Amino acid sequence: MAKTQGQPAIKKSAKRGMSFNSRTYFYDLPETPTKVISDLTNTKPAIATSVGHGLKTGDAVWVESIENDAINGYYLVSVSNEDSFALMTLDGEDIGTVTDAKFTTVKRYSFCDATSVKIAAIKTKAIDATTICDEGAVTELEKEPGTISLSGLWVPDKEVQDFLEEMAEELETIFFTLKPKGSKYMRGYQVKITSLDWDGKSGDKWQFSIELQINGRSRKLDMTTGAK
């Protein structure tokens, strides 16, 4: 059917983005690591050798070393075989030789209570770096810790909430992961809880808000192939 002259064209709407639906977890503080890493390669990412490790791709582990405490922290793993796995974002080119590394798996809490998540993974601020020898103003960028904000519905006495309250009081570093539905990537962040608030009204549902400060580099894992 021909379009009548002067008749406005019909535009098709295009829906962008994707609905907010994610698998979200918090991870508990580890016990003393007992599983030995016999070798840690100087590659990016570093490959750990641990015979019969029992891990699967997407697991979170805590790694610890006395020789080089710079590697201490939470990592997502990409499993190569039953005796080796990659520690995502650990740059083995910078760590030198580490012979005493150990790891442990950590307790995972599912967290489906959030109705909104805001992640400011990278934040910078401008600082005045002008010296007396500069003819004009000199500005440099300085990196600041990123932040994560969560808000949603709060159901009292859930185990994960007891854990979050305890970690907030003790100012401990914990681990948070997020995998949006439809995304192949799982992202992990070492965080500290900077605020945890409840808000309720009579006859209404409890609301909560949690503010997290990101501690160190984020972890990123391709769940379909393993990050390279």
Side-chain angles (χ1 to χ4, degrees):
M1 180 177 176
K3 180 171 70 110
T4 305
Q5 187 174 3
Q7 180 180 345
I10 299 174
K11 294 183 179 180
K12 294 182 179 180
S13 63
K15 186 176 181 180
R16 296 187 177 186
M18 55 194 296
S19 61
F20 171 60
N21 191 313
S22 305
R23 284 185 291 177
T24 307
Y25 300 96
F26 282 102
Y27 297 80
D28 202 348
L29 286 170
E31 300 293 335
T32 302
T34 56
K35 299 180 180 179
V36 174
I37 295 175
S38 58
D39 183 61
L40 198 57
T41 64
N42 298 123
T43 58
K44 185 178 181 179
I47 307 298
T49 298
S50 181
V51 176
H53 55 67
L55 299 171
K56 63 183 183 297
T57 296
D59 281 350
V61 297
W62 171 267
V63 175
E64 194 168 296
S65 165
I66 296 175
E67 286 181 357
N68 186 351
D69 59 9
I71 74 170
N72 295 1
Y74 292 95
Y75 297 91
L76 293 172
V77 303
S78 179
V79 172
S80 306
N81 54 56
E82 63 183 10
D83 297 327
S84 64
F85 55 91
L87 294 167
M88 303 321 303
T89 72
L90 178 58
D91 187 350
E93 296 173 353
D94 293 337
I95 64 176
T97 301
V98 179
T99 62
D100 70 336
K102 295 182 179 180
F103 81 95
T104 186
T105 54
V106 289
K107 184 175 181 179
R108 185 176 74 175
Y109 295 94
S110 178
F111 193 75
C112 298
D113 307 77
T115 56
S116 71
V117 177
K118 180 179 179 181
I119 300 177
I122 301 173
K123 299 175 72 175
T124 59
K125 69 176 181 179
I127 59 172
D128 184 359
T130 308
T131 71
I132 58 174
C133 296
D134 293 316
E135 295 182 359
V138 177
T139 301
E140 294 181 354
L141 290 179
E142 184 177 272
K143 189 175 180 180
E144 292 187 314
T147 58
I148 300 174
S149 302
L150 304 169
S151 61
L153 302 178
W154 200 249
V155 180
D157 302 331
K158 292 180 70 173
E159 186 180 16
V160 64
Q161 292 164 195
D162 290 340
F163 164 65
L164 291 174
E165 287 183 271
E166 180 182 354
M167 295 301 98
E169 290 175 355
E170 296 182 5
L171 301 177
E172 293 286 358
T173 296
I174 58 176
F175 198 51
F176 169 81
T177 62
L178 173 74
K179 183 182 180 298
K181 183 179 181 181
S183 173
K184 65 181 180 180
Y185 291 112
M186 176 182 286
R187 288 175 167 82
Y189 304 90
Q190 291 192 152
V191 296
K192 285 189 176 183
I193 300 171
T194 55
S195 71
L196 194 162
D197 300 303
W198 291 22
D199 179 23
K201 298 179 181 178
S202 179
D204 204 350
K205 295 181 179 179
W206 281 100
Q207 310 287 318
F208 76 87
S209 63
I210 302 175
E211 297 292 327
L212 309 167
Q213 179 174 294
I214 298 173
N215 177 16
R217 284 192 61 187
S218 63
R219 284 53 165 125
K220 185 178 179 182
L221 172 63
D222 184 335
M223 292 293 290
T224 61
T225 63
K228 303 299 183 182

